[in-house]
Amino acid sequence: MSLNVLVYLEHDGRRLQGDIARLVSKGNEVAQALGGFTVGSLVGDIGEELLAEARKLKCKEIAVVSDPGLREYQPELYRSALESILEATSPYIVLFRHSYVSAELAPALAYRCNAPIVSNCLDVEVKDSGIEVIRPFLRELCWGRVSFQGSPPYFIALQ
């Protein structure tokens, strides 16, 4: 297992969604603290424009599963494609943006990997060679720190 961070680059088939650059930046920060690097992951019917947009991000590598059968988001097919990327890259952490897609896809992948997941996170930090996330609790009335137990990869969905 590498100490790399895999970032799922969510898209609508034409453009990256949300503030992916900020998610990649956080991935780079965590990867650097771990002594690894960031790998972006694209799944779908990936065109040249979308790939060019992804290459502008500050990922060391971009892992791609492109297939015309993945034009529309289908959870089982996307999960399977991402599993192949996970097998090829063996990341320490997998970052998702907090979205409807990640709320479905990230837990399915974590389950298949028998790995821990924390969603709806505000931040992720490396503390004493361990990973901590900060997330809201009690309808966002307070925040708490959560440490991971178990073996990586660790799945995190960041707001």
Side-chain angles (χ1 to χ4, degrees), residues 52-136:
E53 185 180 0
R55 286 184 175 142
K56 290 178 186 174
L57 298 170
K58 295 181 180 179
C59 297
K60 183 172 182 182
E61 297 175 6
I62 304 287
V64 178
V65 174
S66 182
D67 187 312
L70 297 172
R71 183 174 307 245
E72 299 295 322
Y73 172 70
Q74 298 173 47
E76 287 300 311
L77 296 178
Y78 270 55
R79 180 199 44 79
S80 180
L82 272 171
E83 278 184 79
S84 67
I85 291 174
L86 286 169
E87 288 175 20
T89 59
S90 299
Y92 192 75
I93 295 174
V94 183
L95 289 181
F96 288 84
R97 69 185 275 268
H98 185 68
S99 69
Y100 291 113
V101 170
S102 72
E104 185 171 52
L105 196 52
L109 276 168
Y111 175 78
R112 297 281 293 198
C113 295
N114 195 28
I117 180 171
V118 181
S119 61
N120 194 28
C121 298
L122 303 170
D123 200 6
V124 57
E125 300 172 341
V126 177
K127 295 269 188 170
D128 301 323
S129 300
I131 304 299
E132 279 189 357
V133 294
I134 300 169
R135 71 175 311 277

